Each structure stands twice: as structure tokens, then as C-alpha cells.
């Protein structure tokens, strides 16, 4: 690992398959926020400073997560993961590729942000329930008073209750240490992906793009519940896609959709739009 400070949230192994010839060996990046475009080598693309590092009290950085991910990336074969020389998913790479894809899902900035937002909503729901329920609020006040060794004033109690019910007066932030725990979700996702059926889709016209959130999951909109959501990857209508190269894409589903196939211009554009929409 030559530069532990600059850490990739998308592996260089993946990015190198999308390098072009103008300039040679560069990956072109398009940003959704401002429409800017630029090209860089894969080594300088999709990376952030100390994205996985944890800063110690003495100012040093714990690099073990980055070292682990970098070692896992280096162990992958030079070809596309799970793909043999003919573009088919090989049994030899199938098990290893499930873990690679699961880690790819949870290691991105978008995934980290989504996880933080979900936990933030849960905290706010819990706070609201505590604020509006007299017994729960009084129990919280009792714990605070015991911890601080003093009795809260009526003004402090009123202010505390108001902040629990109305979060607009403060900003909730979760530390990086918590966010990094989200990586362990790959352990639960891996066996789910392993059970899904795999096939490849070739681009007969045009080419597939990748993104900073390259594993895309689509579900039938009718299966979404306003409270329970869509059950994630366990949704039986889920279709998961991941571009191996600009010409070959992995497609995973719970239904047997047949053998490997090719997509025309319209199909390629539709898959690219889904990936661009999900990109952070």
C-alpha cells in the first residue's frame, strides 16, 4: 500500500476496467452536483483522505481497515471478479465474488451516509417517544440526575423535553468510529447474495458505466411499504446489477431469468440511468 492516506472507496481493480484511451489509461468522472467532468488514473480516482482511518488521541491514524481492504483487493484476479475468459460466471470465483460484492455495497460514501441517516431517524423517533411520554421522560430525567449528581431545574427539564420532541434546534452527528462499524454488514449480506441466481448481460450496443455506488438494487415499486420499506436484498423481486467491464454486467435475482443475454442500446441506457440515479 503505497499511500495509506489516500484511500479508495471503489477498488482500483474495478476502476482499471473502465480506463479509456483518451487520455490513455484514464477513467473519466462526471459529477452529478455540478456537471463537471475530469479524467484521472484509476489510482487517483474514487478516493478520499483517511476515509477508513480512525484518529488516535496522539494524532496518529489506525490504518488496519484500509490495510485489510487493500489486501482483499490485491488478492482478486486481474480479470473481472466472477467472470471467466468467455464472460460467464465461473464456479471457481463465485463464493469469493459474493464477499467482494457485499463489501463493495457497504464501503462507499453513499452507503455510509444512508446508514447514518437511518440510525439518525431511529434516534429521533426514540427521542420523540421519550419526550411525549411522561413516564419515559421522568425516567430519563432521573438517570441524568443520578449521573450528574444534581437535580435538574424546571427550566432545564422543559428545555430537555423540547429538544427531544423538536430536533430542529440541534444537529445530530455520528462519529466515524460508528460509521466504520457499518462495514460488518457485509457479513450478513454475503450469504444473501450467494443464494441469488447469477447471469451476465453483454452490451451489444454502447457500453456500461460504473459509479461511486456501483452495486445497484432495483425492486418492484409495488412491494415498498411506507413503514417497513422494501426488505432490501431479501425482496423476492430484487434485481441486483454490477458492471464487470464496459461490455459485461452481472445481474442477480431470486428468479431464474434464463441464460446469459445481450442488451441493445435501449437496455444499456436503462441500466446506465439506474446506476447514475443511485450514484452519490
Amino acid at each position: 500500500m503505497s499511500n495509506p492516506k489516500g484511500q479508495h472507496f471503489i477498488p482500483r481493480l474495478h476502476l482499471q476496467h473502465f480506463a479509456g484511451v483518451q487520455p490513455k489509461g484514464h477513467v473519466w468522472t462526471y459529477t452529478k452536483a455540478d456537471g463537471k467532468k475530469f479524467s484521472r488514473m484509476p489510482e487517483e480516482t474514487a478516493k478520499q483522505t483517511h476515509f477508513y482511518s480512525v484518529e488516535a488521541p496522539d494524532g496518529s491514524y489506525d490504518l488496519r481497515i484500509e490495510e485489510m481492504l487493500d489486501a482483499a483487493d490485491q488478492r482478486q484476479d486481474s480479470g473481472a471478479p466472477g467472470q471467466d475468459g468467455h464472460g460467464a460466471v465461473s464456479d471457481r470465483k463465485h463464493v469469493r465474488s459474493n464477499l467482494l460484492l457485499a463489501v463493495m455495497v457497504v464501503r462507499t460514501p453513499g452507503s455510509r451516509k444512508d446508514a447514518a441517516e437511518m440510525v439518525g431517524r431511529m434516534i429521533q423517533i426514540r427521542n420523540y417517544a421519550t419526550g411525549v411520554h411522561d413516564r419515559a421522560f421522568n425516567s430519563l430525567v432521573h438517570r441524568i440526575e443520578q449521573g450528574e449528581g444534581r437535580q435538574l431545574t424546571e427550566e432545564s427539564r422543559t428545555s430537555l423535553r423540547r429538544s427531544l420532541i423538536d430536533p430542529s434546534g440541534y444537529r445530530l452527528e455520528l462519529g466515524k468510529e460508528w460509521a466504520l462499524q457499518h462495514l460488518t454488514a457485509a457479513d450478513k449480506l454475503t450469504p444473501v447474495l450467494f443464494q441469488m441466481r447469477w447471469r451476465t448481460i453483454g452490451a451489444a450496443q454502447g457500453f456500461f458505466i460504473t459509479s461511486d455506488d456501483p452495486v445497484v438494487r432495483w425492486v418492484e415499486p409495488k412491494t415498498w411499504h411506507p413503514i417497513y420499506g422494501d426488505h432490501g436484498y431479501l425482496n423476492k423481486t430484487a434485481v441486483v446489477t454490477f458492471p464487470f467491464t464496459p461490455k459485461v454486467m452481472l445481474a442477480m435475482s431470486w428468479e431464474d431469468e434464463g441464460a446469459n443475454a445481450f442488451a441493445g442500446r435501449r437496455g444499456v441506457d436503462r441500466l446506465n440511468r439506474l446506476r447514475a440515479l443511485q450514484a452519490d
Side-chain angles (χ1 to χ4, degrees), residues 149-168:
R150 64 179 181 87
Q151 193 171 24
L152 295 183
T153 65
E154 190 62 32
E155 181 181 357
S156 297
R157 290 170 62 97
T158 301
S159 177
L160 173 61
R161 193 162 204 167
R162 186 184 303 115
S163 66
L164 291 172
I165 296 174
D166 180 12
S168 63

Side-chain angles (χ1 to χ4, degrees), residues 168-270:
S168 63
Y170 62 91
R171 179 179 178 180
L172 178 65
E173 291 187 1
L174 299 173
K176 182 188 289 187
E177 291 81 356
W178 178 90
L180 291 174
Q181 295 180 22
H182 177 58
L183 293 171
T184 61
D187 293 337
K188 297 181 179 179
L189 181 56
T190 298
V192 175
L193 297 178
F194 182 79
Q195 296 177 57
M196 299 182 78
R197 294 176 172 86
W198 288 37
R199 68 171 182 153
T200 58
I201 301 175
Q205 296 177 305
F207 56 87
F208 298 121
I209 66 171
T210 190
S211 75
D212 58 2
D213 208 352
V215 181
V216 171
R217 179 181 61 90
W218 178 91
V219 299
E220 171 57 52
K222 295 179 180 179
T223 64
W224 184 84
H225 191 279
I227 297 177
Y228 302 108
D230 60 21
H231 302 288
Y233 288 82
L234 292 174
N235 187 315
K236 297 306 178 181
T237 70
V239 177
V240 180
T241 59
F242 173 75
F244 284 150
T245 73
K247 285 296 184 179
V248 181
M249 177 171 291
L250 169 67
M252 310 169 65
S253 68
W254 291 102
E255 300 295 332
D256 188 359
E257 299 187 1
N260 300 334
F262 285 90
R265 172 68 68 177
R266 182 175 298 179
V268 170
D269 288 347
R270 183 169 60 250

Side-chain angles (χ1 to χ4, degrees), residues 14-200:
H14 175 68
L15 295 172
Q16 70 185 19
H17 296 295
F18 294 84
V21 295
Q22 295 180 347
K24 185 177 181 181
H26 279 221
V27 176
W28 278 95
T29 299
Y30 298 82
T31 58
K32 292 172 62 175
D34 52 21
K36 292 182 179 179
K37 57 184 178 181
F38 55 89
S39 71
R40 292 175 180 168
M41 298 290 289
E43 292 77 7
E44 299 301 324
T45 303
K47 63 190 299 186
Q48 289 188 20
T49 300
H50 287 301
F51 186 66
Y52 303 109
S53 304
V54 178
E55 187 173 5
D58 63 359
S60 63
Y61 286 93
D62 186 338
L63 303 174
R64 285 177 293 178
I65 294 178
E66 165 64 9
E67 291 170 352
M68 177 190 68
L69 292 173
D70 188 70
D73 295 341
Q74 295 301 323
R75 283 197 299 269
Q76 300 301 319
D77 291 346
S78 58
Q83 177 189 0
D84 65 17
H86 302 287
V89 175
S90 64
D91 294 335
R92 181 175 63 86
K93 297 182 180 179
H94 185 75
V95 175
R96 184 179 60 188
S97 295
N98 281 288
L99 177 58
L100 173 67
L101 288 174
V103 172
M104 188 83 76
V105 170
V106 302
R107 69 186 291 178
T108 65
S111 178
R112 181 182 294 187
K113 181 178 66 176
D114 291 344
E117 290 178 351
M118 180 180 65
V119 172
R121 287 194 297 269
M122 293 175 61
I123 292 175
Q124 290 179 356
I125 290 172
R126 185 186 63 186
N127 288 348
Y128 180 83
T130 301
V132 299
H133 193 278
D134 289 339
R135 184 175 178 180
F137 178 73
N138 290 332
S139 177
L140 173 63
V141 170
H142 178 68
R143 293 195 301 272
I144 293 175
E145 290 177 339
Q146 281 191 323
E148 296 185 358
R150 64 179 181 87
Q151 193 171 24
L152 295 183
T153 65
E154 190 62 32
E155 181 181 357
S156 297
R157 290 170 62 97
T158 301
S159 177
L160 173 61
R161 193 162 204 167
R162 186 184 303 115
S163 66
L164 291 172
I165 296 174
D166 180 12
S168 63
Y170 62 91
R171 179 179 178 180
L172 178 65
E173 291 187 1
L174 299 173
K176 182 188 289 187
E177 291 81 356
W178 178 90
L180 291 174
Q181 295 180 22
H182 177 58
L183 293 171
T184 61
D187 293 337
K188 297 181 179 179
L189 181 56
T190 298
V192 175
L193 297 178
F194 182 79
Q195 296 177 57
M196 299 182 78
R197 294 176 172 86
W198 288 37
R199 68 171 182 153
T200 58

